[in-house]
Amino acid sequence: MRGSGQEQQQIRNIWQKLHIDLPLLLGILSLMALGLFIVYSAGGQSMAIVYRQAIRLVVAIVVMLVIAQIPPLSYRKWAVPVFVLGLLMLVAVLLFGHVGKGAQRWLDLGFMKFQPSEIMKLIVPIMIAWFISQNNLPVKISTIVLAFILVLMPTLLIAKQPDLGTSLLIASSGVFVIFLAGASWKLIAVCVGLGSAFAPVLWMFLMKDYQRQRVMTFLNPEQDPLGSGYHIIQSKIAIGSGGVDGKGWLQGTQSQLEFLPERHTDFIFAVFSEEFGLIGVGVLLSVYLFIVMRGLWIAVNAQHAFTKLLAGSITLTFFVYVFVNIGMVSGILPVVGLPLPLVSYGGTSMVTLLAGFGMLMAISTHRRFHI
Amino acid sequence: MAPRRIVIRNHSAEANLFARRTFIAFVGVLLLLLILFSNIYSLQVDSFEKYQTRSNSNRIKLLPVAPNRGLIYDRNGVILADNKPVYSLAVIPEEVDNLKANIEKISKLLDISADRQVKFFKAAKRKRRFKQIELQPRLSEQQVALFSVNQHKFPGIFVDARLKRYYPFSELTTHNLGYVARINRKDVKKLEQQGKSENYAATHGIGKLGIEKYYEEILHGTIGHQEVEINNQGRIIRTLNYTPPIQGKDLTLTLDIELQMIAKRALSGKRGAVVAMNPRTGGILAMYSNPSYDGNLFVHGISSKNYNKLLQSKDLPLINRSVQGYPPASTVKPFLALTGLEEQVITPSTKIWDPGWYQLEGLPNKYRDWKKWGHGWVDLTKAIEQSCNIYFFKLAFKLGITKISTMMERFGFGDYTGIDIHEESRAIMPSVAWKRERYNQPWYTGETLSVGIGQSYWTVTPLQLTQALTTLVNHGVRKVPHFLKATKKQGTDEDGNSQSTLEEVIYEEQAPLILKQKKHWELVLEAMHSTVQKFGATAYTPFKGAKYDASGKTGSAQVARIKQDEKYDAKTTQENKRDNAMFIAFAPFNNPEIVVAVAIENVAKGGGGTNAGPVARQIMDQYFGNRVITSSIDNSPGKFKTKTPQQHIHPSHIQESD
């Protein structure tokens, strides 16, 4: 019995040496595999699209494994310069960025197009976690105010592109760090109050027409069923008509007959729900919950305030991804362009996402060092 | 408690704080997941049926399938209205790569005009996606063949076949059959009002005239449906279900197309109409109005140039003269004689002296006979044989207009016969009330005299004449004239073999016309018999040598007013003011099988006997063929030559009382 215990310990050590967190990896891989099946179904049953996605996944996993090898505490050294560089790039995007899909998001570097907001998804939690963890917890108000300013800068720059989804993620990643660092409940209450007071200002002065339209559509999609309401109506029809056990893989009429827009990207959850029903949704949500639990477990067990805050922020931001996407596709949130993490077809955000998981794995496996 | 600055970190306190916060965050995650899940639960479980319905209505479309229109046959099974495939070149623009170049290429190949191409591109801009657009209607056989060979080069372009009505006898049957033409806005409105628009969802044409219109409901059939699955662009993915349409019933008419041909030949070069009917049933054997026009022109949509030509033609080919009113002239004399007998103002032996004219007491106007020197002593039979006007002036005077019009209305004059086409006119049976209503004027006795010889305001349609004659030869049994003999339903039996069920149409008889004395029928009919059979009688010549026993009555109607004592001469009278020739006939005398009425407009010379009589003769010759039916009357030649009766009468509507 002891021998088998030792054996287990040895196996654990092997994964530890490879800097791989096995439960997290299994959760990620199972979602990716599921994603490939749904992408096949949603993408007009074309193998080409599946191959492309598979290649991206492999690249993303490699990125994750590479990042997992880097000791997490060393991120702190790079936090400030990379954050500043990131801000400069965001400014550059606004000044001479590449316009695509109605928004300025890309920097054309000549040999490749580069989306600085993706880097910021990683660097903002690192920056805030580093900034806060320099002092003792719970975090003080003066630190919080400064941290807010740090978060607000990239958030506003990205919102200006406009890329509401990403700016939302970046803001949440910063806010989560502040929350986990023990910001007082009183302060949280004040912030929530201020936030609700700010909402009409946001609506009146800061939101663009199309964004206001999205909110209106969200509130009443049937108002314009063939226009702005079309996406969400068709998506709800797809989900609802899936029923408890779904129409079956490749049998979803809403997706196969192309009534559903953005089937293999942002609205892939509707395809999944239509074909696999409530049972499938339960399983999918369970896997996400499992990944979140594992991430939080890693955070709680991290040995340094910086890594705790970082791991917690990465995990909770991942959940925001899931919540916003599913909430939008099922009609309880306005349409914000965010993919379903690990499942939707798409490149850049997948790499960033797995880089984040790489950091989680690093935090989970580098614990014996730098105590 | 003011926070104190602690230099040494309290790791376990920090860890506890962090763990607490993480736990709170985790609870938040669970809560939000619960919200997501319960929302999806409500979509997939609570509202499942609603969304399933909406999902199905997204993808499932019912495509209407038009039923084939029933065919129309003559009494012997000769097809009169057929469905012929018409080929058109259609394009689904979304399925054609490089639309412009390919349309140019195919247009060059099939010689499609630039106009058509422009029209096509205009339509292509407006149409919904994946709907086909016609590039060239009515392809010739060569074009179809040429395209078939080259079809593989033109994906998205195809030949579309559609059944369209075709009338093989063209103008011979148009006035009877009418025609089918494209459903227009007015038709759509009417169909909506009748609640039939659903049944016409896939139908392109509708009966516009004649039998095609009258029996539209029977001919049309019932729509079928193809249930298909479509994608978001409306492209059909597969068929889920198919309910075949029920094709319209075929019609078998009482019409005899050969008789119809004879009617056309007999009327060629003349304006007029002929109606032949079976008096035993009321079935129309032939009904032709000359000139006619080709109904096929309207099936594909007549060009405005052609339509204007028809509209503006002086011969009025669009008018069905068989059901338009003509002054009946002397053809109604037998009916008037019957009225006199029935009203007991004359007896069979009543004789009058005919000096060639008739004058109302105290009035200067003289009503003249067609025979200048008169007919001498005239009794009822002679009055009919010789078409003696003076006899009928006196008779009409004695009867008065009310008794005349009441009796004539019982024969159906002035009313619809009830034939199964809608174009029928009631014509005019004048009466005191009618004149009051129409002109707000009193009735004048002079007009009664004119009515006595079938003139004045009185008009009858050739069809009304056949109906009235039928009542006469049937001794009061009245029949509804009709075309429809039987309907044939095409279907399949239990074994899937096609079979058809023939359904004879049964027509209800109308209330009979009952006379006080039955022998009056015989009296009048015998007079009509001798009018044809007796040498020297007015209708003797046209039926000379006929192998069947015909009877009849001539008539020549004055169209224009003739002044007092003015002499009528066809040669010097304008063509459209010349007399109309009328004729009614039936045969054989015993148990008649056929009644015929003929009307010919503005004849150059002679009257009913010489112009309309031969038309009736040709119809009957064709009808009886080589059957020999001997005459029961002694047919001894008389000493004097017959002369065509013509009525040179005073303008009847000039008021004598002035």
Side-chain angles (χ1 to χ4, degrees):
Chain A
M1 284 299 121
R2 254 189 104 81
S4 76
Q6 270 180 342
E7 229 168 82
Q8 279 183 356
Q9 191 64 45
Q10 271 179 345
I11 292 167
R12 208 173 287 158
N13 285 340
I14 291 168
W15 291 115
Q16 189 115 12
K17 273 185 191 139
L18 290 170
H19 298 295
I20 289 171
D21 185 82
L22 196 56
L24 199 55
L25 183 69
L26 288 177
I28 289 166
L29 288 181
S30 56
L31 282 180
M32 284 177 163
L34 190 65
L36 285 179
F37 278 96
I38 310 170
V39 163
Y40 176 71
S41 173
Q45 307 184 12
S46 130
M47 273 319 280
I49 208 168
V50 174
Y51 289 142
R52 273 206 297 276
Q53 175 77 343
I55 288 165
R56 281 200 192 106
L57 293 179
V58 169
V59 169
I61 286 172
V62 169
V63 167
M64 173 180 80
L65 295 179
V66 167
I67 286 181
Q69 311 308 314
I70 304 168
L73 288 177
S74 66
Y75 302 160
R76 293 182 293 184
K77 280 183 277 183
W78 302 97
V80 176
V82 176
F83 182 74
V84 172
L85 185 69
L87 281 183
L88 290 175
M89 284 196 290
L90 285 178
V91 173
V93 163
L94 285 183
L95 292 180
F96 19 75
H98 185 84
V99 180
K101 285 190 185 172
Q104 263 182 323
R105 292 178 189 174
W106 288 271
L107 266 188
D108 200 338
L109 299 181
F111 61 96
M112 65 177 283
K113 276 180 200 155
F114 175 72
Q115 207 172 336
S117 57
E118 287 297 323
I119 285 282
M120 292 311 268
K121 279 185 193 167
L122 299 173
I123 213 69
V124 167
I126 289 174
M127 176 71 193
I128 307 299
W130 166 78
F131 182 71
I132 286 179
S133 66
Q134 279 183 314
N135 297 313
N136 281 355
L137 301 185
V139 64
K140 281 178 303 200
I141 296 224
S142 56
T143 317
I144 290 175
V145 170
L146 285 174
F148 256 124
I149 293 169
L150 288 177
V151 175
L152 218 54
M153 284 192 292
T155 302
L156 290 180
L157 284 172
I158 292 166
K160 192 105 176 62
Q161 288 179 355
D163 184 353
L164 225 55
T166 307
S167 81
L168 178 78
L169 287 176
I170 283 169
S172 345
S173 69
V175 169
F176 285 141
V177 174
I178 297 168
F179 172 78
L180 292 173
S184 80
W185 288 107
K186 240 190 263 170
L187 187 73
I188 293 169
V190 169
C191 284
V192 169
L194 279 178
S196 1
F198 187 62
V201 180
L202 188 76
W203 174 265
M204 295 286 284
F205 300 110
L206 292 177
M207 279 174 93
K208 304 209 166 191
D209 274 346
Y210 87 94
Q211 291 165 334
R212 271 190 283 247
Q213 179 62 44
R214 277 190 192 179
V215 177
M216 291 307 291
T217 303
F218 157 68
L219 293 173
N220 185 13
E222 303 286 343
Q223 190 182 32
D224 185 9
L226 293 176
S228 57
Y230 182 81
H231 279 42
I232 194 62
I233 289 172
Q234 294 305 329
S235 173
K236 282 168 91 170
I237 291 173
I239 297 171
S241 65
V244 173
D245 46 2
K247 294 176 185 171
W249 186 50
L250 305 180
Q251 303 298 312
T253 54
Q254 283 288 104
S255 48
Q256 302 304 325
L257 300 173
E258 301 171 24
F259 291 104
L260 198 61
E262 310 282 342
R263 292 175 297 284
H264 56 292
T265 55
D266 288 2
F267 280 78
I268 200 164
F269 178 77
V271 178
F272 176 80
S273 318
E274 185 186 24
E275 297 190 347
F276 296 97
L278 190 66
I279 296 170
V281 170
V283 171
L284 183 76
L285 292 184
S286 304
V287 178
Y288 278 122
L289 180 62
F290 172 76
I291 290 173
V292 168
M293 282 165 74
R294 181 65 189 170
L296 293 180
W297 189 89
I298 290 171
V300 170
N301 287 287
Q303 286 157 331
H304 193 276
F306 170 69
T307 47
K308 274 180 194 289
L309 293 174
L310 181 58
S313 172
I314 289 171
T315 308
L316 291 176
T317 308
F318 170 73
F319 178 72
V320 168
Y321 242 118
V322 177
F323 181 75
V324 170
N325 177 270
I326 295 180
M328 137 190 128
V329 172
S330 59
I332 57 171
L333 288 177
V335 172
V336 177
L338 280 188
L340 184 64
L342 301 174
V343 175
S344 282
Y345 178 85
T348 327
S349 67
M350 182 74 84
V351 173
T352 322
L353 201 65
L354 284 209
F357 282 121
M359 293 198 269
L360 269 185
M361 289 191 174
I363 293 167
S364 158
T365 56
H366 286 271
R367 59 177 68 199
R368 281 195 293 174
F369 312 96
H370 307 287
I371 295 177
Chain B
M1 273 204 291
R4 285 173 298 144
R5 191 143 182 93
I6 299 162
V7 182
I8 313 241
R9 301 183 78 122
N10 182 344
H11 284 289
S12 83
E14 277 190 359
N16 279 340
L17 171 71
F18 185 81
R20 275 204 310 278
R21 283 294 163 104
T22 307
F23 180 72
I24 291 165
F26 179 64
V27 170
V29 166
L30 282 181
L31 217 67
L32 291 176
L33 275 179
L34 199 70
I35 290 172
L36 282 186
F37 190 76
S38 60
N39 175 49
I40 287 160
Y41 182 91
S42 94
L43 288 177
Q44 293 192 313
V45 179
D46 299 341
S47 311
F48 170 65
E49 275 174 28
K50 171 186 155 192
Y51 286 115
Q52 191 181 40
T53 310
R54 289 188 67 172
S55 159
N56 283 340
S57 64
N58 255 349
R59 73 183 174 102
I60 297 169
K61 287 278 174 292
L62 270 186
L63 295 184
V65 183
N68 287 346
R69 197 173 176 85
L71 307 179
I72 304 176
Y73 299 93
D74 93 333
R75 63 184 304 116
N76 299 315
V78 177
I79 195 154
L80 305 181
D82 201 354
N83 294 329
K84 254 175 86 174
V86 172
Y87 302 98
S88 60
L89 195 66
V91 181
I92 295 181
E94 285 80 5
E95 291 181 357
V96 183
D97 304 325
N98 199 350
L99 189 64
K100 205 163 182 285
N102 267 315
I103 294 297
E104 270 169 24
K105 229 164 93 188
I106 191 103
S107 299
K108 218 175 196 177
L109 182 73
L110 300 183
D111 195 23
I112 294 167
S113 72
D115 266 13
R116 287 274 175 212
Q117 293 176 49
V118 170
K119 240 180 171 176
F120 167 81
F121 281 113
K122 255 190 203 163
K125 269 183 201 161
R126 287 195 308 262
K127 286 267 173 148
R128 270 191 56 195
R129 300 191 71 191
F130 289 102
K131 282 271 158 86
Q132 66 180 64
I133 303 166
E134 195 177 74
L135 176 59
Q136 172 75 40
R138 273 190 289 166
L139 293 175
S140 69
E141 274 178 35
Q142 287 96 321
Q143 280 175 313
V144 172
L146 195 57
F147 177 74
S148 303
V149 175
N150 291 287
Q151 186 160 24
H152 62 280
K153 295 181 202 160
F154 299 101
I157 303 178
F158 55 94
V159 168
D160 185 40
R162 186 178 285 172
L163 288 178
K164 284 223 172 171
R165 215 43 157 180
Y166 174 66
Y167 305 105
F169 292 99
S170 61
E171 79 269 17
L172 187 60
T173 53
T174 305
H175 283 306
N176 306 335
L177 299 180
Y179 50 81
V180 167
R182 185 185 280 274
I183 296 177
N184 62 26
R185 222 172 281 167
K186 229 169 94 191
D187 299 323
V188 169
K189 231 181 188 171
K190 209 169 143 199
L191 288 171
E192 271 168 13
Q193 279 167 2
Q194 295 170 328
K196 290 183 194 160
S197 42
E198 211 172 290
N199 200 27
Y200 278 77
T203 307
H204 295 276
I206 190 166
K208 297 275 188 180
L209 209 68
I211 291 165
E212 292 274 28
K213 183 177 185 182
Y214 196 91
Y215 292 112
E216 174 64 30
E217 205 169 329
I218 297 176
L219 287 165
H220 179 264
T222 310
I223 194 170
H225 283 103
Q226 189 186 12
E227 197 184 70
V228 294
E229 189 174 76
I230 57 156
N231 69 5
N232 71 326
Q233 294 167 327
R235 195 204 287 245
I236 294 168
I237 305 298
R238 64 197 165 119
T239 300
L240 302 172
N241 222 328
Y242 184 64
T243 317
I246 302 165
Q247 76 173 75
K249 286 182 187 173
D250 293 346
L251 305 184
T252 298
L253 305 184
T254 56
L255 209 66
D256 180 343
I257 197 66
E258 287 183 41
L259 212 56
Q260 187 80 1
M261 285 174 174
I262 297 300
K264 186 190 173 192
R265 202 171 65 195
L267 286 178
S268 82
K270 299 163 180 149
R271 282 193 308 273
V274 55
V275 180
M277 194 163 98
N278 179 347
R280 296 174 187 180
T281 60
I284 303 284
L285 295 165
M287 184 178 197
Y288 183 73
S289 167
N290 203 56
S292 183
Y293 60 99
D294 185 359
N296 291 311
L297 287 174
F298 287 83
V299 174
H300 297 282
I302 191 166
S303 69
S304 56
K305 191 181 138 204
N306 279 341
Y307 189 55
N308 280 332
K309 222 155 87 191
L310 288 176
L311 269 181
Q312 284 159 8
S313 166
K314 276 183 190 161
D315 291 336
L316 306 176
L318 292 173
I319 286 177
N320 183 357
R321 292 173 157 84
S322 319
V323 287
Q324 292 303 309
Y326 286 101
S330 305
T331 52
V332 288
K333 281 176 180 167
F335 302 97
L336 291 161
L338 193 78
T339 311
L341 292 170
E342 181 66 3
E343 296 292 341
Q344 291 167 348
V345 300
I346 52 166
T347 67
S349 51
T350 304
K351 282 189 179 173
I352 60 126
W353 175 254
D354 170 15
W357 52 268
Y358 175 75
Q359 198 166 17
L360 276 174
E361 255 177 89
L363 289 174
N365 291 348
K366 279 184 177 175
Y367 292 81
R368 297 194 180 277
D369 199 88
W370 59 272
K371 206 168 176 181
K372 204 174 175 188
W373 50 87
H375 290 99
W377 285 106
V378 177
D379 67 356
L380 183 136
T381 304
K382 192 177 171 188
I384 290 175
E385 283 171 7
Q386 296 300 323
S387 201
C388 172
N389 284 355
I390 308 304
Y391 185 94
F392 284 95
F393 286 142
K394 285 187 173 169
L395 172 61
F397 180 71
K398 280 187 201 164
L399 278 169
I401 183 63
T402 302
K403 279 181 181 163
I404 293 174
S405 57
T406 305
M407 188 62 160
M408 289 309 131
E409 277 162 14
R410 292 175 75 190
F411 274 102
F413 291 119
D415 201 358
Y416 298 115
T417 62
I419 192 170
D420 39 3
I421 56 174
H422 289 298
E423 292 77 40
E424 191 183 12
S425 158
R426 297 173 76 143
I428 297 164
M429 184 63 235
S431 66
V432 176
W434 171 86
K435 199 183 172 197
R436 176 60 67 193
E437 194 186 313
R438 177 79 172 75
Y439 293 103
N440 194 23
Q441 278 175 4
W443 185 267
Y444 302 116
T445 314
E447 292 168 339
T448 308
L449 300 191
S450 295
V451 165
I453 56 162
Q455 291 276 169
S456 171
Y457 306 102
W458 195 357
T459 59
V460 304
T461 70
L463 182 66
Q464 281 175 337
L465 276 177
T466 53
Q467 189 190 32
L469 185 55
T470 295
T471 308
L472 193 66
V473 304
N474 285 342
H475 295 199
V477 177
R478 306 187 66 207
K479 299 285 179 187
V480 182
H482 59 263
F483 283 108
L484 186 60
K485 188 171 188 295
T487 60
K488 196 161 65 179
K489 192 182 169 190
Q490 302 287 0
T492 45
D493 62 10
E494 287 149 16
D495 304 324
N497 301 319
S498 66
Q499 60 166 35
S500 55
T501 34
L502 200 71
E503 245 180 283
E504 286 278 341
V505 181
I506 295 155
Y507 290 89
E508 272 179 46
E509 234 154 59
Q510 293 178 308
L513 197 164
I514 296 164
L515 294 185
K516 287 169 201 154
Q517 289 200 1
K518 277 188 172 179
K519 63 172 186 195
H520 292 160
W521 293 116
E522 296 295 342
L523 271 166
V524 173
L525 288 168
E526 269 162 21
M528 286 182 75
H529 192 208
S530 57
T531 305
V532 171
Q533 300 300 336
K534 201 187 264 176
F535 179 78
T538 47
Y540 172 75
T541 319
F543 282 93
K544 207 164 93 181
K547 290 172 182 164
Y548 47 86
D549 190 11
S551 314
K553 181 73 193 79
T554 60
S556 296
Q558 174 195 307
V559 178
R561 295 175 184 183
I562 309 269
K563 286 187 193 130
Q564 177 85 28
D565 293 327
E566 187 185 46
K567 198 176 172 341
Y568 169 84
D569 183 358
K571 283 177 212 154
T572 60
T573 309
Q574 264 183 302
E575 202 265 347
N576 63 357
K577 286 181 180 163
R578 289 178 192 160
D579 290 351
N580 289 347
M582 309 291 286
F583 199 88
I584 57 172
F586 64 93
F589 178 68
N590 293 315
N591 291 320
E593 291 173 29
I594 182 168
V595 298
V596 177
V598 182
I600 296 169
E601 294 174 14
N602 313 123
V603 293
K605 205 175 102 187
T610 47
N611 291 287
V615 173
R617 168 79 192 261
Q618 287 173 62
I619 296 280
M620 288 193 172
D621 281 356
Q622 165 69 24
Y623 178 81
F624 289 107
N626 291 323
R627 280 197 282 160
V628 178
I629 295 144
T630 48
S631 168
S632 60
I633 243 181
D634 179 25
N635 196 5
S636 52
K639 285 177 238 141
F640 44 83
K641 274 188 175 176
T642 50
K643 195 186 171 192
T644 318
Q646 285 186 355
Q647 292 135 355
H648 294 165
I649 54 162
H650 286 288
S652 47
H653 1 302
I654 292 171
Q655 299 162 13
E656 301 101 306
S657 50
D658 267 3

